[in-house]
Structure formats: structure tokens, C-alpha cells
């Protein structure tokens, strides 16, 4: 199944839309638009009538819903109806190796146990835990996510560059159905975001596609034609 993001330009760069089910990795620095793209995909799932569980680093579900609306994504009605569930990964204390290992183990269990009961899930952002966790815990989580996608769930994972162990970074990206890299660029004196589709199910092997965009509180993702930048 291919789901539209609601943005024709984004859909065309993704080979027609978002494949469901799939495992998609989104990598980028602070301010590059990781959460905005994750919200765009979340909104696409919800509009298609699918249920979504969103794991966030925000302090509460109210904070998450409020900040999503400020970025142009009004998810409140889905949250009230129960088709969107929000859980925080922020435990309010510094993340130690032991804490990260326990939380990643809990996340892996949620996915492997089949108790999540959602059509799609988003982990935004894994960097909060992966920068402190042992390699084994990160590998175990991604194995659980891959199996969940193989069983029919879509899973989105965001993370910062260099927060995954070097030995696992490339194998993890290789096992994903989609890998999106985000960055920032100064074009014509304007700070914009750049989305590069490194690989995506539906795109020819080796093909790469880029989008320059901004986040508009009224519209969400606003694609900026390069010729106008």
C-alpha cells in the first residue's frame, strides 16, 4: 500500500508516497526538520485511517500535541479519538548506560510482544537513548523494529548523526526500507532545510532525490523550488 503525504512534491520524491508497511530511518542534526518529517508521515498514516503510537522526548502528550500544531500539524482530533497515542521517553533524569539499556529493552519488548496494537509507530528521537546505550541493546531494538515491519507495521525512527555505534550504523540503514537524510542550507540569505532521499522502497536502486523545504505554521511542510531559492 502506498500512502500520500498530502504533498505532491514530497510524494514524487518518495517514488509516489509512503510504502506501508515499512521501516524508515530519518537522520539529521538539531533544527534540520526530523520531527517535522516524522509528523508529516504520522499525519499521512492517520489520514489513511491507520492508528499510530508516537514515542517522543517531549515532557507530556499535551506538550507534544501543542508543538505539533505550532509546526502546522493539528493532530488533536486524532489524539482525542484514540487513533493517535503518545508516550514520552523522557524520564526526567540524566540518561546513564544502565537507564538507556533498560529503556531500549522495554521498547524492544513492546514491539516484540505484539501488545502495541498500532498500524504504525514513531520513535522520535532515538538519539536520547542510543548515545548512552550499549551496542547490543540498539541492535536488539532494530531487530524488533524490523520484525514488526515484516509483520505489517510501519515504523519511523529518527536520530542524530554519529549517535549510532559505527559498527551498527551502516547495517541498520541497510536493513531499513527507507533512509532519509536531513540537513540545513543557507540559500539566498534564507536558512532552509534539505531532505535527501538516500533510499526508499519504490525508487530505483541507487537513485537519490532532494527537496528544499521550510516549516510553515499554517501549512506544515512547504517545499521551496530551488529556482526560487
Amino acid at each position: 500500500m502506498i500512502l500520500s503525504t498530502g504533498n505532491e512534491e514530497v510524494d514524487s520524491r518518495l517514488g509516489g508516497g509512503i510504502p506501508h508497511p515499512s521501516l524508515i530511518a530519518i537522520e539529521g542534526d538539531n533544527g534540520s526538520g526530523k520531527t517535522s518529517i516524522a509528523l508529516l508521515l504520522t499525519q499521512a498514516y492517520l489520514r489513511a485511517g491507520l492508528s499510530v503510537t508516537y514515542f517522543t522526548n517531549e515532557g507530556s502528550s499535551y506538550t507534544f500535541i501543542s508543538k505539533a500544531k505550532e509546526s502546522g500539524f493539528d493532530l488533536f482530533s486524532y489524539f482525542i479519538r484514540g487513533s493517535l497515542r503518545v508516550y514520552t521517553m523522557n524520564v526526567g533524569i540524566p540518561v546513564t548506560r544502565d537507564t538507556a539499556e533498560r529503556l531500549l529493552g522495554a521498547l524492544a519488548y513492546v514491539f516484540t510482544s505484539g501488545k502495541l496494537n498500532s498500524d504504525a509507530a514513531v520513535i522520535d528521537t532515538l538519539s536520547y537513548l542510543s548515545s548512552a546505550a550499549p551496542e547490543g541493546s540498539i541492535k536488539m531494538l532494530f531487530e524488533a523494529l524490523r520484525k514488526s515491519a515484516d509483520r505489517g507495521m510501519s515504523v519511523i525512527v529518527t536520530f542524530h548523526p554519529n549517535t549510532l555505534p559505527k559498527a551498527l550504523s551502516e547495517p541498520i540503514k541497510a536493513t531499513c526500507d527507507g533512509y532519509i537524510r536531513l540537513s540545513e542550507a543557507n540559500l539566498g540569505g534564507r536558512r532552509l532545510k534539505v531532505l535527501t532521499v538516500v533510499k526508499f522502497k519504490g525508487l530505483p536502486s541507487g537513485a537519490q532525490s532532494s527537496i528544499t523545504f521550510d516549516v510553515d505554521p499554517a501549512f506544515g511542510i512547504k517545499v521551496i523550488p530551488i529556482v526560487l531559492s
Side-chain angles (χ1 to χ4, degrees):
M1 178 190 305
I2 301 296
L3 307 178
S4 172
T5 63
N7 186 307
E8 292 183 5
E9 189 71 18
V10 174
D11 286 349
S12 68
R13 295 297 196 278
L14 299 180
I18 316 166
H20 171 72
S22 59
L23 172 59
I24 300 172
I26 302 174
E27 181 179 23
D29 286 312
N30 285 331
S32 62
K34 292 189 302 301
T35 295
S36 296
I37 296 300
L39 288 172
L40 178 70
L41 304 189
T42 296
Q43 183 174 258
Y45 296 133
L46 293 169
R47 285 177 172 173
L50 303 179
S51 58
V52 180
T53 298
Y54 202 112
F55 297 95
T56 176
N57 287 339
E58 299 293 349
S60 68
S61 55
Y62 174 79
T63 302
F64 168 79
I65 294 296
S66 297
K67 288 192 174 183
K69 188 172 183 179
E70 290 173 2
S71 298
F73 301 95
D74 191 352
L75 307 178
F76 183 72
S77 61
Y78 298 106
F79 180 70
I80 289 297
R81 291 200 300 265
S83 52
L84 171 64
R85 291 179 294 172
V86 181
Y87 298 101
T88 181
M89 297 184 292
N90 192 331
V91 294
I93 58 174
V95 178
T96 64
R97 179 183 175 91
D98 181 64
T99 303
E101 184 175 16
R102 287 172 179 269
L103 289 174
L104 285 178
L107 268 178
Y109 172 76
V110 165
F111 282 91
T112 56
S113 67
K115 295 180 179 180
L116 197 55
N117 195 29
S118 282
D119 301 307
V122 180
I123 301 175
D124 179 32
T125 167
L126 189 63
S127 305
Y128 174 70
L129 301 175
S130 63
S131 58
E135 288 188 14
S137 297
I138 300 171
K139 182 178 180 181
M140 179 177 64
L141 174 63
F142 272 93
E143 287 174 349
L145 301 183
R146 180 67 264 175
K147 289 178 181 177
S148 294
D150 292 340
R151 290 196 300 264
M153 176 185 289
S154 281
V155 183
I156 310 295
V157 185
T158 76
F159 51 88
H160 294 74
N162 304 316
T163 54
L164 296 178
K166 289 184 178 180
L168 295 181
S169 181
E170 292 308 316
I172 283 174
K173 294 170 187 175
T175 195
C176 292
D177 301 302
Y179 169 41
I180 294 172
R181 186 170 57 237
L182 296 168
S183 58
E184 288 188 284
N186 195 329
L187 302 174
R190 185 178 176 185
R191 199 70 180 171
L192 298 171
K193 307 175 195 308
V194 180
L195 179 154
T196 300
V197 182
V198 179
K199 76 168 187 175
F200 219 78
K201 187 189 295 184
L203 284 179
S205 178
Q208 289 198 9
S209 183
S210 294
I211 303 171
T212 303
F213 70 98
D214 204 354
V215 180
D216 189 314
F219 303 104
I221 300 297
K222 184 177 181 181
V223 175
I224 310 296
I226 293 297
V227 293
L228 299 181
S229 301

